Amino acid sequence: MIAALLERLRMGDRNALARLVSFVARGEHLAELNIALGHAVNREGEAPAEPEASANAIAGASGSAGASPSRSPCPARVVAFTGSGGVGKSSLIGKLIPIVRAQSKKIAILACDPQSPLSGGALLGDRFRMGSPLDDGIFIRSLAAVSGRGAIADHVDVMIRLCEAFGFDVIFVETVGSGQGDVAVRNLADVVVLLLQPESGDDVQWEKAGILECADLVVIHKADLPSADQTAAQVRMALDLSSACHVPVLRVSTKANQGHAELWEAIDALPLRRQQTSAARLLFQLAAEALEQRFREGDPEVLKVAEAWQRGELPTADAVQAVLRILTHV
Amino acid sequence: MNQPIRIVLAKVGLDGHDRGIKVVARALRDAGMHVIYAGLWQTPEAVVRVLADEDADWLGVSLLSGAHMTLVPRILDLMREAKLEHVGVMVGGIIPEADVPKLHAMGVARIFGPGTSLDDIVAFLKEPREPKP
């Protein structure tokens, strides 16, 4: 079934892409997809051509019948947008979409919103701020992110590779928007764009470790507000104190429709830093999730150890070892 | 498997009354569903595109404009064209009784009018369905 869906995806079937993303979001068929996509990306000339491109290739290949359209596998530019809730990530992306499309680049957007830790439900409300594009070169997918997992949905890296296999040139990942410490995006994006807004912290705020260190580009959004210049100056100073002095700080106002073209130019000029996800990392991640699942299920043996530790019958180091032994014993 | 239901909620056409659909969105979220809120003033084409990209299980459209006999058949036609017949469609809002059987005949699974309890909508969506093709 996965092979058939992948075949349809490579033929440009959006429904197949959407269905495969659903599997990945649920953590299903990950190993199978990881292997299949690994081959697709690595093999020369195997990059999936978009329908128009393959049509052109066939039309132009009349002299050499049977020659496969060899389009060098071109990795997509993956851009992560992060920043606190309400800073304007979705609206900013909505403004960047037409700019990217004007360069004839196909764009996929993976927009994460929080999933309730209580009900498991989620209101995924990013896409309605991005307009309602009917353009086949745009794919927007809303994803629910479990809290405490780095502000993005699980396995977004595999979803990125699915979008690449479909033929998207640019992939935007929008984080849930916690703003502090959500550094997981750095591993899967070429460029991390951090959005800040005026009046969102004093000069010590920017000295805190975490997300500012991870940003490749800082946007002072809502730059139409009066204190935008001051915030930009504070952030600039904080960045200049460290080796991150090359990080650009751009002022953008979606309300006043200013700065978006310059922002995309700056993003597009940055190098592609992303490394191919190693198979090992996926395996470790799956193992970590399995372990976490066992923790959540509340193994009775573990609870017994916890009770003994609480009563003071077991030294802490021994209790930790005992828990690890129980949880890793399959 | 107990996977969250993915439902797209949208207002179609020239109709700015979104209080009802927001209340429904909240109830479905609290019932553990993943609600993709597509917002106001959507075209049938845009809604069907959202269903495709989001791999939705359900579509809920709310219409208080009286244009349901134009817009709902259009959505259903476009869904067939996009090979999305497996997505269930429910309609909410002001739908005259005479139009209800007509919409059912076209393929709308359920119509919820004024006074519907949120529990009824949740219970309806949680009824077991055939798995997606």
Side-chain angles (χ1 to χ4, degrees):
Chain A
M1 177 183 54
I2 290 298
L5 278 171
L6 275 170
E7 189 55 40
R8 279 171 55 200
L9 174 139
R10 295 198 173 109
M11 302 297 284
D13 182 340
R14 298 176 80 92
N15 294 2
L17 172 62
R19 179 60 52 86
L20 284 165
V21 171
S22 297
F23 282 134
V24 174
R26 297 196 296 257
E28 295 168 15
H29 306 294
L30 284 174
E32 204 177 340
L33 279 170
N34 186 53
I35 291 163
L37 291 167
H39 284 305
V41 174
N42 294 338
R43 238 184 295 160
E44 187 70 24
E46 280 284 272
E50 55 192 270
E52 298 92 337
S54 49
N56 292 343
I58 290 161
S62 52
S64 56
S68 63
S70 73
R71 182 166 166 258
S72 66
C74 183
R77 177 172 290 273
V78 180
V79 187
F81 293 84
T82 190
S84 56
V87 74
K89 296 180 291 296
S90 305
S91 306
L92 184 81
I93 289 173
K95 289 281 187 186
L96 290 177
I97 291 171
I99 296 172
V100 175
R101 284 299 291 148
Q103 299 180 343
S104 303
K105 288 175 178 158
K106 295 170 73 176
I107 178 166
I109 294 110
L110 303 171
C112 304
D113 263 331
Q115 172 172 323
S116 162
L118 304 176
S119 68
L123 186 93
L124 308 173
D126 286 327
R127 69 174 304 136
F128 94 102
R129 296 183 204 280
M130 297 179 190
S132 317
L134 273 174
D135 178 347
D136 281 344
I138 304 170
F139 175 84
I140 305 177
R141 180 60 179 253
S142 314
L143 301 165
V146 179
S147 63
R149 299 243 189 105
I152 47 171
D154 290 344
H155 311 300
V156 166
D157 49 345
V158 182
M159 296 177 196
I160 287 171
R161 286 158 73 199
L162 282 171
C163 292
E164 267 181 325
F166 190 88
F168 286 104
D169 307 298
V170 175
I171 300 166
F172 284 177
V173 178
E174 181 182 338
T175 74
V176 165
S178 57
Q180 286 195 21
D182 40 351
V183 296
V185 285
R186 196 182 155 83
N187 294 327
L188 53 87
D190 292 304
V191 178
V192 176
V193 179
L194 170 66
L195 278 77
L196 300 171
Q197 55 187 338
E199 305 282 356
S200 54
D202 61 13
D203 51 350
V204 178
Q205 186 65 28
W206 313 121
E207 298 304 324
K208 293 184 183 173
I211 192 70
L212 196 56
E213 294 171 275
C214 297
D216 299 297
L217 211 151
V218 176
V219 168
I220 308 299
H221 203 203
K222 311 188 189 181
D224 49 287
L225 294 175
S227 54
D229 288 346
Q230 195 189 346
T231 306
Q234 285 172 352
V235 170
R236 180 74 273 159
M237 265 169 63
L239 287 167
D240 286 347
L241 282 177
S242 68
S243 59
C245 53
H246 58 278
V247 172
V249 178
L250 298 178
R251 275 164 293 172
V252 180
S253 168
T254 293
K255 195 172 171 186
N257 208 9
Q258 278 173 356
H260 301 92
E262 294 80 359
L263 171 59
W264 175 246
E265 211 174 288
I267 292 170
D268 209 21
L270 288 168
L272 294 177
R273 177 195 56 203
R274 183 170 48 115
Q275 287 164 2
Q276 270 307 331
T277 328
S278 76
R281 220 184 78 203
L282 180 70
L283 183 64
F284 296 158
Q285 197 182 343
L286 291 173
E289 279 169 24
L291 197 60
E292 200 186 315
Q293 179 69 24
R294 296 192 72 167
F295 254 112
R296 271 204 303 272
E297 282 164 2
D299 194 302
E301 294 294 312
V302 171
L303 294 177
K304 261 186 237 167
V305 173
E307 281 159 17
W309 175 70
Q310 258 180 328
R311 287 194 298 266
E313 296 164 10
L314 208 57
T316 303
D318 293 358
V320 169
Q321 285 302 322
V323 168
L324 283 178
R325 260 199 306 279
I326 295 163
L327 288 177
T328 53
H329 182 78
V330 182
Chain B
M1 274 296 283
N2 187 22
Q3 294 300 340
I5 294 167
R6 284 178 75 81
I7 178 164
V8 171
L9 292 182
K11 293 283 298 182
V12 198
L14 208 61
D15 173 359
H17 300 275
D18 61 351
R19 190 70 206 146
I21 200 168
K22 282 180 177 160
V23 171
V24 172
R26 168 64 71 86
L28 301 184
R29 186 202 83 180
D30 289 345
M33 299 181 203
H34 287 180
V35 180
I36 297 117
Y37 185 63
L40 288 167
W41 307 305
Q42 298 297 306
T43 62
E45 287 80 1
V47 168
V48 174
R49 172 49 62 84
V50 176
L51 291 179
D53 286 4
E54 298 287 355
D55 189 23
D57 304 304
W58 280 97
L59 166 66
V61 280
S62 155
L63 293 129
L64 291 89
S65 62
H68 49 276
M69 294 309 285
T70 312
L71 293 169
V72 173
R74 176 92 185 121
I75 291 172
L76 293 167
D77 283 345
L78 290 166
M79 282 172 66
R80 272 185 287 273
E81 269 174 45
K83 299 191 176 69
L84 294 169
E85 298 97 328
H86 58 273
V87 180
V89 178
M90 66 172 195
V91 174
I94 308 294
I95 310 296
E97 263 173 43
D99 291 337
V100 169
K102 293 180 200 164
L103 290 171
H104 280 313
M106 287 173 198
V108 173
R110 189 74 179 262
I111 293 155
F112 292 105
T116 303
S117 94
L118 293 166
D119 292 341
D120 288 348
I121 302 177
V122 169
F124 168 71
L125 290 172
K126 288 197 168 172
E127 281 171 20
R129 297 178 79 210
E130 277 185 35
K132 281 193 245 185

